[in-house]
Amino acid sequence: MDSVGVAAAAPDAGQGPAWQSKCPWGAPSTTSISCSLADVMSEQLAKELQLEEENAAFPEVVAAAEGPFITGENIDTSSDLMLAQMLQMEFDREYDAQLRREEKKINGDSKVSISFENYRKVHPYDSDSSEDEVDWQDTRHDPYRADKPTTTPRRGFIGKGKDITTKHDEVVCGRKNTARMENFAPEFQVGDGIGMDLKLSNQVFNALKQHAYSEERRSARLHEKKEHSTAEKAVDPKTRLLLYKMVNSGMLETITGCISTGKESVVFHAYGGNATEDKVIPPECAIKVFKTTLNEFKNRDKYIKDDYRFKDRFSKLNPRKIIRMWAEKEMHNLTRMQNAGIPCPQVVILKKHVLVMSFIGQDQVPAPKLKDVTLSSEDMKKAYYQILNMMQQLYRECNLVHADLSEYNMLWHDGKVWLIDVSQSVEPTHPHGLEFLFRDCRNVSQFFQKGGVAEALNERELFNAVSGLNITADNEVDFQAEIEALEKMNEDHVQNHGKKLSTFSSDGDPPIYDE
């Protein structure tokens, strides 16, 4: 086999170190040696040539490998396990340093601090820990960390002899009371009493506890009132949902706004929607929303709890459901009046505490109240006789007493008087029915006598004319005494016989029965 000339790299001893005379990126040297093809194909020769080139290009790596490792003393780096442990140790150091920086950032100068001690990596090969690295590990004697109050054993005392301490010790009880303040509601700010070694007496702790409970209940009441009650001119979410359903069902076309506010309700104006087969919806409607707050009904429960129609249901319901019953009562009273032909709003529908009626007025303008309108003498006289006739119809045909009849609850529209606000109306058999009727007669008589109606009767004459009773008393005191005697007689009769039969004697009028 013929020899072939092969260029091989060899260091020149006369020109200094190999890394100075040879560069892997430099021009190849012209020096060449001859070798056979068998030498070229030899693996041993290839390894020697590769090692020569690496030693010539990177002599510092070889020098480092020959000396000791920089992080240990003659550590054998040929073991993969040792290399993995060294890398893990370096990673743990960086991780712990990051945790210390996070602790310092979060805690700052606060007395109450947090610690990531449970998340640190304490490597068994870490031997280079300094004083500042040990600082964060020793938190057993932290001056800013409060000592937890010691618990008293079941026997009730600790110690012996003169050093005995019972569970009634002032210092022990004070610290326990301070620790128990942490159980208060989150809204009640108690501060860092344990850190300040605060000692509260039982009297102070009980006062704070009672105050915390009171504040919690008050906050709950305010939240409930805000979320579940009807405000002065606004509605709560539940009422708003009822109104939305009425509009979406087509019963109402649109709700324009508030037209009146009262002690117990808010009235809105709305345009009627599509009529159904069994229900005629007027073009304009009045939506009466009874306020769901109970403040206005505290003194008005006598109108419903003593009414024989609702007496059995009153005791079984909570106060909030009484408001729905109040709306139901007005619907029933308006239905009776409408059947008797008395001018009053027409009931459209009742949904819980929302009552939809016909609107007394035109083009979103409500009819004026009788106290706000200026009538001529003829119209005033006409209004008086109309009201007298309506009071007699209400008492005899509808078996009702308005119980709040005045110029504030009478509207003037289309040349006649309309009665509104009959939610408090009761039957004459009510324990205070005749008293309410006498009060209505006084209001009507005083208004029309001041209005210049000469034919206006006084309250006693008007009472006898409406009720059909013949009470002959010279003064008002005796008149009211006889009314109270009749009410007492009727109440005893109802309790003894269990019937709602009126025992009032009248001139030819039949006795009044409940429907």
Side-chain angles (χ1 to χ4, degrees), residues 175-190:
R175 288 176 177 171
K176 284 184 179 180
N177 291 337
T178 303
R180 289 166 62 188
M181 284 198 308
E182 300 294 335
N183 298 328
F184 290 169
E187 297 82 8
F188 192 78
Q189 305 295 334
V190 297

Side-chain angles (χ1 to χ4, degrees), residues 33 83 131 271 303 403 425 452 467 504:
I33 58 174
L83 289 175
E131 291 297 329
Y271 285 105
Y303 292 97
S425 299
S467 63
F504 308 144

Side-chain angles (χ1 to χ4, degrees), residues 54-203:
E54 290 178 356
N55 293 338
F58 308 104
E60 63 276 5
V61 177
V62 179
E66 294 175 356
F69 195 72
I70 56 176
T71 58
E73 298 179 357
N74 299 327
I75 299 177
D76 185 11
T77 58
S78 61
S79 173
D80 293 341
L81 177 60
M82 185 61 64
L83 289 175
Q85 289 177 346
M86 294 170 62
L87 291 175
Q88 183 64 38
M89 182 172 60
E90 188 65 24
F91 173 77
D92 291 344
R93 286 177 178 172
E94 295 178 0
Y95 181 75
D96 292 346
Q98 177 67 19
L99 289 181
R100 287 195 295 272
R101 288 192 294 269
E102 290 292 335
E103 278 187 5
K104 186 176 180 181
K105 179 181 178 181
I106 295 176
N107 294 333
D109 299 331
S110 176
K111 292 183 178 181
V112 181
S113 61
I114 64 172
S115 174
F116 294 143
E117 182 178 355
N118 295 335
Y119 299 96
R120 291 191 176 92
K121 306 292 185 181
V122 184
H123 205 277
Y125 294 94
D126 190 2
S127 59
D128 298 333
S129 59
S130 58
E131 291 297 329
D132 55 348
E133 293 177 351
V134 179
D135 239 359
W136 52 266
Q137 296 179 1
D138 189 9
T139 56
R140 292 175 296 177
H141 303 288
D142 189 358
Y144 297 108
R145 177 172 293 182
D147 296 332
K148 294 182 179 179
T150 58
T151 58
T152 306
R154 291 186 177 180
R155 59 193 178 189
F157 65 92
I158 55 176
K160 294 181 180 180
K162 296 181 179 180
D163 299 332
I164 189 172
T165 302
T166 64
K167 62 180 180 181
H168 303 290
D169 184 71
E170 183 178 358
V171 177
V172 175
C173 290
R175 288 176 177 171
K176 284 184 179 180
N177 291 337
T178 303
R180 289 166 62 188
M181 284 198 308
E182 300 294 335
N183 298 328
F184 290 169
E187 297 82 8
F188 192 78
Q189 305 295 334
V190 297
D192 187 17
I194 299 179
M196 295 184 293
D197 196 17
L198 186 64
K199 304 176 184 64
L200 291 180
S201 63
N202 292 336
Q203 182 179 2

